Amino acid sequence: MYRSLTRIMILAITALAVFAISVQAVQYPLSGTSTPNGRFIYVPDQTNNRIRVVDSNLVTGGTIDATFAVVQNVAVAADPTSMVINSAGTVLFAAIHAGATSPYYSYINSYSIAPATGFLTLLQSYQIPDLY
């Protein structure tokens, strides 16, 4: 279990580093999340208002052997700030901060995750008014 979590963390960190030098660069990749098996990595792109879906092509075994490819760019209303995936790896929840001027709103978006491709499909968007 610990070895598997360590592998996923290394892959997530590597994916963030790859974004920093890739053509489809996320300017400040500060966070990300992955499916429980580490195959798909999701990175919030606040610069371009997108969620980047990365296929790590994780090869299971004794060593980490992964190549990274952006397989989907999901447009969102504004800045995606944080994300979490359910334990089954089937739903991603994303916090989206929208509104540079009053009224300020945020959203919680839920997406289904396609098991074979990692692609996201919007399930629901719930608007939350900011209280300031």
Side-chain angles (χ1 to χ4, degrees), residues 11-12 14-16 18-19 22 24 26 33-35 37-44 51-58 66-74 117-120:
L11 287 171
T14 304
L16 294 176
V18 166
F19 278 117
S22 72
Q24 295 183 345
V26 175
T33 190
S34 71
T35 52
N37 65 3
R39 170 79 190 269
F40 300 105
I41 301 166
Y42 302 87
V43 180
I51 297 172
R52 305 280 185 156
V53 180
V54 179
D55 187 344
S56 72
N57 292 315
L58 178 64
T67 57
F68 298 94
V70 175
V71 294
Q72 185 185 27
N73 291 303
V74 179
T117 63
F119 283 17
L120 298 177

Side-chain angles (χ1 to χ4, degrees), residues 103-119:
Y104 303 101
Y105 288 98
S106 294
Y107 298 85
I108 301 293
N109 289 358
S110 60
Y111 299 89
S112 65
I113 299 174
T117 63
F119 283 17

Side-chain angles (χ1 to χ4, degrees), residues 4 12 37 47 50 59 64 70 77-78 82 92 99 101 104 112 115 119 123:
S4 177
N37 65 3
T47 304
R50 295 180 181 157
V59 176
I64 295 172
V70 175
S82 61
L92 177 136
T101 59
Y104 303 101
S112 65
F119 283 17
L123 295 172

Side-chain angles (χ1 to χ4, degrees), residues 48 67 85:
N48 298 298
T67 57
I85 294 176

Side-chain angles (χ1 to χ4, degrees), residues 76-96:
V76 295
D79 300 337
T81 56
S82 61
M83 299 177 295
V84 66
I85 294 176
N86 70 338
S87 61
T90 57
V91 178
L92 177 136
F93 299 93
I96 312 295

